[in-house]
Amino acid sequence: MSQQVVTANRLRDGAVVYLAEDGTWTERIDEARIAEDAEFAQELLATGEAAQRDGIVVESYLIKLGDGWHPQGCRETIRSKGPSVRLDLGKQAYGS
């Protein structure tokens, strides 16, 4: 199984967030908690779904990581970095 992390959008402002090591939500993918196996991935997803029920995030789901902290797929790459039209905007502007 490839490494996975839980992502969602924060309900308060719509920002793309990742479930962090300490159970909070972070905007930086490199601070996300990684699941190395399917069982732990489901545990992390259950934590994300609980946050949905609590009104903290919406649409939590698992994503696969490729090399390092790079998510697999174009959609998740754009979500992790920000707009693709200008590199001076979004998370890529401050080097995440």
Side-chain angles (χ1 to χ4, degrees), residues 2 7 9-10 15 17-18 20 25 27 29-30 32 37 39 48 53 57 63-64 69 77-78 80 82 85 88 91:
S2 61
T7 186
N9 288 86
R10 191 169 39 219
V17 290
Y18 303 91
W25 294 89
E27 293 183 23
I29 193 169
D30 61 349
D37 61 59
E39 183 177 332
R53 287 190 296 276
V57 297
I63 63 169
K64 293 180 181 178
W69 289 99
T77 298
I78 292 170
S80 72
V85 292
D88 61 329
K91 296 173 187 173

Side-chain angles (χ1 to χ4, degrees), residues 24-62:
T24 61
W25 294 89
T26 177
E27 293 183 23
R28 297 179 51 106
I29 193 169
D30 61 349
E31 295 176 350
R33 186 161 195 182
I34 295 176
E36 302 277 354
D37 61 59
E39 183 177 332
F40 190 55
Q42 291 306 311
E43 287 180 32
L44 292 181
L45 183 58
T47 301
E49 291 169 345
Q52 283 181 208
R53 287 190 296 276
D54 292 341
I56 299 168
V57 297
V58 294
E59 295 290 324
S60 63
Y61 59 95
L62 292 163

Side-chain angles (χ1 to χ4, degrees), residues 10-24:
R10 191 169 39 219
L11 188 58
R12 178 171 40 96
D13 60 6
V16 174
V17 290
Y18 303 91
L19 184 59
E21 285 283 337
D22 62 1
T24 61

